[in-house]
Amino acid sequence: QVQLVESGGGSVQAGGSLRLSCAASIYAYSSYCMAWFRQAPGKEREGVAHIYSDGSNTYYADSVKGRFTISQDNAKNTLYLQMNSLKPDDTAMYYCAARFWTFCPPLSSTNFHYWGQGTQVTVSS
């Protein structure tokens, strides 16, 4: 069973930065895809970014491209999302997700099998 635990959320002003972390038990395996999703109140869950287990195949949603960076530290069993130049529209619950596969699938919530509980990010104007 894969366990994912997010941390690092909080409240910041527009233009600020946050770094989310996801402690994951999946790093004992070799072929998987890790991703970040977010969900704002009243909206569907949206894919933010993904990264393959060997660090290749990173992908970003257009809404965060150039501002967010996904990375992972296999030695620390941790996935990160560095978020810079935050906007009020980035306000959401952020979720870490994972699936075992030989590549990263399209960034849709239905393509990921394991989920964390989420961490709240609030950006004020």
Side-chain angles (χ1 to χ4, degrees), residues 2-3 11 13 24-25 30 34 45 50 52 54 63 66 77 79 89-90 96 99 103-104 106 110 115:
V2 174
Q3 293 186 328
S11 297
Q13 290 191 328
S25 61
S30 60
M34 299 290 293
R45 192 165 294 191
H50 70 48
Y52 192 58
D54 64 0
S63 57
N77 297 336
L79 177 74
D89 283 349
D90 295 318
C96 174
R99 75 163 289 165
F103 58 90
C104 276
T110 56
W115 293 87

Side-chain angles (χ1 to χ4, degrees), residues 44-86:
E44 292 187 356
R45 192 165 294 191
E46 172 193 21
V48 174
H50 70 48
I51 185 168
Y52 192 58
S53 48
D54 64 0
S56 66
N57 193 17
T58 56
Y59 171 85
Y60 298 92
D62 287 343
S63 57
V64 306
K65 199 172 295 182
R67 301 187 298 121
F68 291 11
T69 302
I70 189 170
S71 63
Q72 58 192 3
D73 186 333
N74 290 8
K76 295 183 178 179
N77 297 336
T78 304
L79 177 74
Y80 300 103
L81 185 68
Q82 178 67 43
M83 305 186 296
N84 298 328
S85 303
L86 282 162

